[in-house]
Amino acid sequence: MNTLHNKSKNKIYFVSDFHFGSPDSQTSLEREKQAVCWLESIESSAEEIYLLGDVFDFWFEYRYVVPKGYVRFLGKLAQMSDAGCKIHFFCGNHDLWQRDYFEKELGFVLHRQALRFERDGKQFFVGHGDGLDKSDTKYKILNAIFKNKICIKLFASLHPRWAMAIGTHWSKQSRHSHHKSDSQDRGQNEPMYQYCLQSLQSQHTDFFIFGHRHLCCDKELKNHCRYINTGQWSDKKPFAEWDGENLTLKNFDQAEEIH
């Protein structure tokens, strides 16, 4: 019976940009409950789940302290992890300050860089997707500061009351400053699309799957290779599903009232 059950868990799911914590606690909680409903709907079929960054609008993890909240979502993922589902967590540009809480407490596999892997004879390249636009000098500078060990230690020396207030304020301002550009479809001028095309010149990849951009899309590259962006978890609740043969970008619609 267990063997049959394990064989039914053969799908891989990709999702990103829940931005839990924004824009306010009540809206975030409603989004979190919707996400838990989605997890429950895929629980019986999910072999692996790839959380492609910006799961949290801001996350800074101290040695002995983690941000409060999100217990429904994290608890459900922990339950699925304990049952054998492999959970991959990719650091985004809003939640890159991870230590080892997710790995030790929840059994996640933590990724600080994009990942290339093979599955069912197909080549996947997945990650959050930030930093792929090499012409974005401002982002390069900010990213270097955010990942600097000295800067991280200085920030960690602040009392969590002040650190979290500063961090959440920065995160909110960052989202507002990119809101319009994130919702614009640039077609073939999209930096991620161009990155994929350039990458194909040196190495074959069947599927590029990213988040970061809040506009979900599924674009043909060449020779049946594709660029998929899972977008922002909003009203349409987008995610990607690999069933062993097909990769499909879907929307999760929860018809029942969420309490």
Side-chain angles (χ1 to χ4, degrees):
M1 191 69 176
N2 288 334
T3 302
L4 291 175
H5 178 71
N6 290 336
K7 284 185 177 180
S8 67
K9 289 178 173 288
N10 58 2
K11 293 184 178 181
I12 303 176
Y13 294 90
F14 307 86
V15 68
S16 69
D17 294 86
F18 288 104
H19 284 278
F20 291 135
S22 73
D24 54 67
S25 58
Q26 184 57 43
T27 305
S28 174
L29 179 59
E30 292 174 0
R31 191 183 316 121
E32 181 184 358
K33 290 180 178 180
Q34 293 169 352
V36 171
C37 288
W38 172 67
L39 290 174
E40 290 175 343
S41 75
I42 67 172
E43 188 171 8
S44 62
S45 62
E47 180 182 4
E48 295 183 77
I49 298 175
Y50 286 79
L51 303 172
L52 300 178
D54 284 1
V55 172
F56 307 99
D57 201 51
F58 178 72
W59 180 280
F60 189 90
E61 186 177 323
Y62 293 82
R63 185 175 182 182
Y64 299 112
V65 179
V66 296
K68 70 176 184 180
Y70 323 120
V71 293
R72 293 169 179 81
F73 182 75
L74 293 177
K76 187 62 190 179
L77 285 172
Q79 180 186 8
M80 296 174 70
S81 176
D82 289 344
C85 181
K86 195 170 185 179
I87 312 293
H88 298 265
F89 187 101
F90 287 76
C91 297
N93 55 303
H94 281 255
D95 50 14
L96 70 154
W97 298 282
Q98 307 285 339
R99 290 178 68 95
D100 57 7
Y101 176 70
F102 288 161
E103 294 172 291
K104 290 185 175 180
E105 184 68 22
L106 306 175
F108 292 3
V109 180
L110 187 65
H111 300 279
R112 300 187 186 277
Q113 303 291 336
L115 176 69
R116 182 178 295 277
F117 65 92
E118 185 273 336
R119 193 74 83 248
D120 302 310
K122 299 294 185 179
Q123 293 291 327
F124 291 76
F125 187 68
V126 305
H128 182 55
D130 58 320
L132 298 183
D133 184 1
K134 302 304 181 182
S135 65
D136 192 345
T137 304
K138 181 180 178 181
Y139 178 85
K140 289 180 182 179
I141 295 172
L142 285 175
N143 192 49
I145 295 172
F146 290 157
K147 292 183 178 180
N148 183 274
K149 291 183 179 180
I150 296 176
C151 292
I152 293 173
K153 286 184 178 180
L154 288 173
F155 190 82
S157 68
L158 297 174
H159 190 284
R161 176 189 300 175
W162 302 109
M164 294 303 294
I166 293 171
T168 52
H169 177 73
W170 163 81
S171 182
K172 181 178 180 180
Q173 293 301 314
S174 175
R175 278 188 296 100
H176 282 312
S177 66
H178 292 91
H179 177 70
K180 290 184 178 180
S181 61
D182 282 343
S183 61
Q184 294 175 349
D185 188 350
R186 305 173 195 173
Q188 294 188 1
N189 293 322
E190 165 68 45
M192 289 187 184
Y193 181 87
Q194 289 298 320
Y195 172 86
C196 296
L197 286 177
Q198 293 174 10
S199 178
L200 286 174
Q201 294 178 10
S202 59
Q203 187 171 7
H204 176 77
T205 303
D206 293 288
F207 305 112
F208 295 87
I209 311 175
F210 302 122
H212 188 54
R213 290 276 279 130
H214 292 176
L215 186 69
C216 61
C217 64
D218 184 351
K219 296 181 180 292
E220 186 85 15
L221 296 166
K222 61 180 181 179
N223 299 326
H224 305 292
C225 300
R226 288 156 60 195
Y227 154 55
I228 292 94
N229 198 299
T230 51
Q232 182 182 25
W233 182 272
S234 54
D235 293 337
K236 293 184 178 181
K237 311 174 189 67
F239 65 95
E241 175 189 283
W242 172 253
D243 63 7
E245 295 182 359
N246 300 298
L247 182 65
T248 310
L249 191 61
K250 297 183 174 182
N251 295 330
F252 173 68
D253 294 317
Q254 180 61 35
E256 297 179 1
E257 183 179 356
I258 301 172
H259 299 284

